[in-house]
Amino acid sequence: MDGSPHSTQDIAAIVADRRITPVFQPIYQVRDGSVFGYEALTRGPVGPLHNPVNLFAAAEAQGLEAQLDALCRTAAANEFRRQGLPGALFVNVSPQIIVDLCDQRDAIVQTLQQWDMPASAVVVEISERHPFDPIDAIVDAIRHFCEAGFRFALDDLGAGYAGLRVWSELRPAFVKMDRHFVSGCDRDSAKREFLRSIKGMSNFLGCQVIAEGIEREEEADVIRSLGVDLAQGFLLCRPEPAPPMTATMVFQGGRRDGFGAGLTFNESLERLVQPSATVAPTDTAESVLDRIREWKELPDIPVVDGSSPLGSVNRVNLLDRFSRRYTRELHGRRPIRHFMDDLAPVFELSTSIEEASRQLSSNSRDVLPSCAIIVADGQFCGVVPTTALMRRLSEAQMRAARYSNPLTLLPGNVPTMELIQEFLDAGTAFRVAYCDLNNFKPFNDVYGYAIGDEALRLVAEILAEQVDADLDYIGHIGGDDFVVVSRDPEFEATVHRIAAAFGERVRRLYRPEHVAMDGILAVDRAGNEAVFPLMRLAIGVVKPDPAMCDSHHDVATMAADAKHHAKMNPPAYLFFCRRNSPRCVVEVGDGPDEPLHLYKV
């Protein structure tokens, strides 16, 4: 024995006898809770080495890490394929081992092809917890594998020192936020700011963000509110030998896709769809070559069986293949389905432009496909040219950035008024809640602008948590003014929940002595010291009648007046206006026994 907790024979026997068990933890899409892929993990035999940390530490101490690592990868891929798990397979590989595997790249690709697994279905996770030394050799090795179609994820971002450099140089398809920053992010503003920054950089660099280590619903709410792409954790599903293939309920239901959704673009692909010539899978390659000039504008040709797309054939690749001597004579009568290369991805008609663009840009190929094939419930609809898709996304992002609030990234005044006008023109029934912070100025004066900004973010977070993603819209129209435009018939109950949540959670922003006295000592507008109560969220709600309102200006007038009444209506600071146009006058009272009075602007 060598004095280590486990002898060389222990680890060698485990490897030789393949006494490891692969387990899989699902990675979910935050926008709808569907399965995106699975991270493959390993469990050793019963005993101390069952824990993978102990298992790999013992293997590393005995110089057997590479052998154990190879066994784990092979077992994971075999089991992933055997179970028919959907999506991508995420496997963990240390930076040093990826360098050692460079010479085996082609053999690995060939094995995957025999298993009907394209290299793009494998995502290699490189952890920042392992030293990137020498970093240049590791980056070169990763690029070598990317050229073969593999995708990479930078794991544990923020846990080490080399992550940002590798991220900027390598541009991996995925970045995993270290679980330290996810744990308790609902209670720690600094962690939320870090996560928000990572999401912002990922948007710029064209990669998807994975939040791992989610264990509480409050953490999942923050992840969703920040617009993070993918998520995994014990709350969603623990690692299992036979994991579920169904969606998680945690990310389904009535929550907005993101506090910060002002910079997302959820318009579907429907408006960009164009008709396209197609070929049948039984058409001969020779007949397709005779029609090849039809596809000069869009080189990727959909192959459609009846109304079901099977893939695509690239015009340039097909011409190149048949330019060789005797190829046409030998293969011209073969069905075109044998020459599909599937460069053009297939998207559902309901896919958002932002999501489609992200998937296209994360493709490991050097050249983007000329178009995407569009289906509705699996039936061919047409194509969307990549140039049109990227142009539309760029236009939307520039417009969103111009009109979004820089602090919360929520839509500002212009898109909010446009939505209200759209509802008026369509005769849609809707409500508008105008939200404003009572006693925000003295809080800002005492605590400073940084904490004041945190109060505004808190409003945005609570609104995003409480509203219905399918029926409600949130706008930040300036300062401490927020607007919710809702088509939810139960919106009044939502308003009460918003006010109650803010009243409870805002107390965390105050020092204990201010919470104890239920207020702060500050200077009023006349320059005199006064005690100001803790902040409350005043909400005025109106239900405009589209037939009686000339424009969004009428709605804005009503909403501003309702907000004014809410600010003067303690203790709830809520006001639900009964007028349906600014020209109506109604009698209102505070209760059934209260005297009525005329109410008008």
Side-chain angles (χ1 to χ4, degrees), residues 183-203:
S183 177
C185 60
D186 57 307
R187 297 175 294 210
D188 190 326
S189 59
K191 289 184 178 181
R192 287 197 301 276
E193 196 59 44
F194 180 88
L195 299 177
R196 188 179 291 112
S197 299
I198 293 299
K199 174 57 181 168
M201 285 192 288
S202 73
N203 289 343

Side-chain angles (χ1 to χ4, degrees), residues 19-281:
R19 286 190 286 125
I20 57 106
T21 302
V23 295
F24 301 92
Q25 185 173 35
I27 297 174
Y28 296 97
Q29 300 203 68
V30 174
R31 61 182 173 83
D32 60 7
S34 61
V35 173
F36 179 83
Y38 297 83
E39 179 179 3
L41 303 166
T42 299
R43 298 294 181 263
V46 176
L49 294 181
H50 180 74
N51 186 310
V53 175
N54 297 338
L55 179 66
F56 276 90
E60 184 179 5
Q62 300 301 331
L64 297 174
E65 183 182 14
Q67 292 89 327
L68 177 63
D69 189 81
L71 172 62
C72 293
R73 290 196 310 272
T74 303
N78 272 318
E79 189 62 19
F80 182 86
R81 183 172 60 98
R82 189 190 68 80
Q83 294 188 35
L85 297 177
L89 171 63
F90 288 69
V91 293
N92 292 275
V93 180
S94 72
Q96 288 72 29
I97 287 180
I98 199 68
V99 174
D100 296 337
L101 289 174
C102 277
D103 294 339
Q104 303 176 39
R105 186 197 72 172
D106 294 341
I108 294 172
V109 171
Q110 186 176 8
T111 301
L112 289 173
Q113 289 174 344
Q114 293 172 356
W115 293 346
D116 293 326
M117 282 183 67
S120 59
V122 178
V123 180
V124 180
E125 294 191 22
I126 303 293
S127 175
E128 195 185 354
R129 296 184 183 275
H130 295 85
F132 278 74
D133 186 28
I135 188 170
D136 292 334
I138 293 169
V139 170
D140 288 343
I142 292 174
R143 286 179 177 150
H144 182 63
F145 275 90
C146 285
E147 291 170 359
F150 290 92
R151 292 184 290 174
F152 277 78
L154 182 58
D155 197 7
D156 302 314
L157 184 72
Y161 301 99
L164 292 178
R165 176 182 170 182
V166 174
W167 189 8
S168 65
E169 290 188 12
L170 185 62
R171 305 292 177 90
F174 306 91
V175 169
K176 276 195 164 185
M177 297 172 171
D178 183 62
R179 65 182 64 242
H180 166 78
F181 298 101
V182 174
S183 177
C185 60
D186 57 307
R187 297 175 294 210
D188 190 326
S189 59
K191 289 184 178 181
R192 287 197 301 276
E193 196 59 44
F194 180 88
L195 299 177
R196 188 179 291 112
S197 299
I198 293 299
K199 174 57 181 168
M201 285 192 288
S202 73
N203 289 343
F204 179 78
L205 294 174
C207 67
Q208 292 183 274
V209 175
I210 304 174
E212 60 179 344
I214 298 174
E215 298 186 359
R216 299 166 48 247
E217 290 188 3
E218 293 82 0
E219 294 163 357
D221 289 343
V222 171
I223 293 305
R224 172 178 22 217
S225 73
L226 293 175
V228 171
D229 308 286
L230 304 165
Q232 66 182 115
F234 285 177
L235 173 69
L236 311 176
C237 185
R238 289 177 174 269
E240 299 177 7
M245 303 184 194
T246 55
T248 175
M249 296 301 295
V250 173
F251 292 123
Q252 296 180 352
R255 296 293 177 89
R256 170 166 288 273
D257 258 350
F259 150 49
L263 289 181
T264 65
F265 190 55
N266 295 319
E267 178 185 338
S268 74
L269 296 171
E270 185 172 3
R271 294 184 182 181
L272 301 180
V273 176
Q274 299 180 7
S276 170
T278 64
V279 297

